[in-house]
Structures are given as structure tokens and as C-alpha cells.
Amino acid sequence: MTAASPTSRQDLADLLAFYASAGVDEALEDAPVNRFAEAPPRQAERAPAPPQAARENRPAQAPPAGPRLDTSAVPDAPARQSAATVPDEAQAALARQLARSAATLEELRQHMAAFDGCNLKFTAKNLVFADGNPNASLMLVGEAPGRDEDLEGLPFVGRSGQLLDRMLAAIGLDRGSAYIANVIPWRPPGNRTPTPHETEICRPFIERQIELVNPKVLVNLGGPSAKTLLNTTEGILRLRGNWRIHTTASGIAIPAMPTLHPAYLLRTPAHKKLAWRDFVEVKVKLRELGAG
Ligand code: URA
């Protein structure tokens, strides 16, 4: 950007905010490079070129700051892998260790807040850990926070949250008698679908959260929650309405009801009756288990 550019500071700030919300998390070069316009190098030309800094006769700089895996807090944490190897596996291993080592929900929340191994953290405004009553018999797990949730740091506070509150009220419950969390605790930029890697990195945290809450009944809100926590690849329209089991790391079997996500119901109101049936099943199950 030159001094003669008419772009104001505000324009630049807006542009940066747009990039951040679109998931751009690293600046590599000062100027954009059109890689499509570059011809692939021929074999004979592949001799390593001197680094750009050396060519320009200036000192090499540290790589841009990206997500950092701080293993110092964890005994026996896997050694940091170079970014060129398999960083996601190292981060998932660290997440597993941190999750296992959390003895309480508050410890788990603190470990998650300090965890730098998931790139989503760096574009999100807040960690969205949970809402509701941690002693509740019913726990509901959604996919990932949206914009409103990211701003407030609480799950399901936007339009789908309002619908969820009405669905809970229909079976006589509210946030004082249910506990709500998400598979992914950081908002994916632009509400994009979390990648399989991001889900694998975050999975140990939600699994431990379920284990620590130890609800009598779990409700999976939408396909991603059901697939991640019920170990299935079936679609939500086939899964919903049928009891499954979520097994915790310590072997506790929790009855789980997969149902339709409130955001889907807002787009497809004709299917609300299906979700209603699923919630009635949940109420009956809670009663059977002496928790209704
Ligand atoms: N959708 C989700 O899956 N979770 C939220 O917290 C909000 C919307």
C-alpha cells in the first residue's frame, strides 16, 4: 500500500477484519503472488535457490507468528513437530493429554483456554465452553459456535439458541436443568464447516467434558455432533430418533439421542415435528432413569 493510496486507516482495518473473519491467518509476502501464473519449474531448475532474504542482502526474519504448540505445561508432551511434518497429530495428542489431566470442568476450561493447537482459536473472539447446569441430567452438544456465540462466549445464544430454548421448554426444561456445549469450542471463520483435523484436535476436550458432567442422557444436535461422538458416518436424517450409546474413555455408557440441529429446523420448519418427537423420547428416557 503506497502513501498515495486513497485507502484510509479505517478501510485497512475493515479489510484486515474481513480477512480475519474469512480465515486468513498468516501473511506470507508483502505483495500477493499469482501462483497459477507461475510455470512449474523444470527438473533442471529445481536446485535450491538462496532464501529471499539472502538474495536481497538483508537479515533473515523469523517466520510469521502462527498457532504455537506450547508443550511446556504438560509432562511427557510430544515433542513439537516441525510445521512440515504432522503438526495436527501432535496437537491432537497434546489435546488428549490435557483433556485427560483435567480433574474438573474448571480445569478443563482453563486447559482449553491455554491450548494453542487449534487454528480456530486465532480467529475466534472467545472460547465458547458451555452454558447451563453442570449437575444436570441432560447434556446437549452442538457443532460449533456462530457469530453471536463467539461474541458472548456462550453456546446457542443466537437464533438457533432461541429455538433450542423453546424445544427445551416444550419438555419442561431450561438452561438451569440442562447443560449445553459444542464439539468445537471456537467459532470457525465465516461459520464455515470445521475441517476433520480441527474436529479431531477438539474431540478430546468435548469427550472429557461429557465424562466430567456425566449426564444421564446426551442429545446430539445435528449430524457433526452425532458423527463425532457416536462414531458413525450415517446421516442425521437416518440417525435421528434412534437411541445410541456414547461411551466415555472410562467406559461409562450414556444413552444418546441424535436429533436435528435447531439451525436446520429454522431453514426447514416442516421437520420441527421430527425434533419434537425426539425431545419427547428424551423426556421419557429421563423419567425412566429417575431424572425427569
Ligand atoms: N450452532 C451450534 O452448533 N452451536 C452453537 O453454539 C450455535 C449454533
Side-chain angles (χ1 to χ4, degrees):
M1 205 59 62
T2 64
S5 164
T7 307
S8 70
R9 287 176 73 85
Q10 187 57 49
D11 288 342
L12 286 172
D14 290 348
L15 184 61
L16 279 175
F18 168 77
Y19 282 149
S21 67
V24 177
D25 55 9
E26 278 191 38
L28 297 177
E29 304 279 350
D30 288 345
V33 177
N34 183 355
R35 301 278 176 212
F36 293 107
E38 289 177 347
R42 291 199 305 272
Q43 195 65 33
E45 291 169 352
R46 287 209 189 118
Q52 188 178 356
R55 277 182 270 128
E56 291 172 2
N57 201 18
R58 57 182 167 80
Q61 288 180 342
R68 287 280 169 266
L69 178 66
D70 179 4
T71 55
S72 58
V74 181
D76 304 328
R80 177 160 172 73
Q81 306 270 346
S82 102
T85 55
V86 281
D88 291 333
E89 180 40 45
Q91 286 152 5
L94 178 58
R96 284 194 290 276
Q97 277 186 315
L98 287 168
R100 258 201 311 271
S101 71
T104 64
L105 286 169
E106 179 49 27
E107 266 181 41
L108 182 66
R109 195 193 61 73
Q110 285 175 15
H111 284 330
M112 288 164 69
F115 180 67
D116 279 353
C118 180
N119 54 302
L120 295 176
K121 176 180 182 180
F122 297 92
T123 47
K125 292 194 166 40
N126 280 300
L127 170 74
V128 177
F129 183 69
D131 196 14
N133 181 349
N135 300 313
S137 301
L138 178 66
M139 177 166 176
L140 304 105
V141 181
E143 180 183 12
R147 185 175 167 279
D148 297 319
E149 290 76 19
D150 184 36
L151 289 174
E152 288 202 34
L154 289 171
F156 284 100
V157 292
R159 277 187 71 221
S160 40
Q162 288 158 17
L163 177 55
L164 181 60
D165 286 342
R166 292 199 293 276
M167 292 158 76
L168 284 171
I171 57 167
L173 298 177
D174 59 19
R175 289 182 192 230
S177 48
Y179 184 81
I180 307 174
N182 282 307
V183 170
I184 307 277
W186 296 284
R187 180 197 183 199
N191 294 348
R192 67 161 169 76
T193 302
T195 67
H197 275 141
E198 288 159 355
T199 302
E200 276 315 296
I201 290 168
C202 295
R203 173 208 284 273
F205 293 130
I206 185 62
E207 288 184 343
R208 183 70 180 141
Q209 205 169 351
I210 295 170
E211 192 166 43
L212 288 168
V213 173
N214 193 20
K216 290 206 157 58
V217 172
L218 182 68
V219 168
N220 299 97
L221 296 166
S225 169
K227 285 178 189 166
T228 307
L229 298 171
L230 304 179
N231 210 13
T232 174
T233 54
E234 268 184 79
I236 190 65
L237 286 170
R238 289 178 73 90
L239 283 172
R240 65 140 288 276
N242 298 299
W243 286 105
R244 298 272 169 144
I245 295 291
H246 171 80
T247 308
T248 66
S250 55
I252 296 169
I254 301 173
M257 172 58 72
T259 191
L260 302 170
H261 193 287
Y264 169 83
L265 296 174
L266 287 171
R267 295 191 303 271
T268 320
H271 279 179
K272 281 185 185 167
K273 60 178 179 286
L274 302 178
W276 159 247
R277 281 180 212 152
D278 302 344
F279 268 61
V280 171
E281 283 284 331
V282 167
K283 189 176 176 61
V284 170
K285 177 71 85 185
L286 284 169
R287 223 178 255 152
E288 279 171 15
L289 297 173

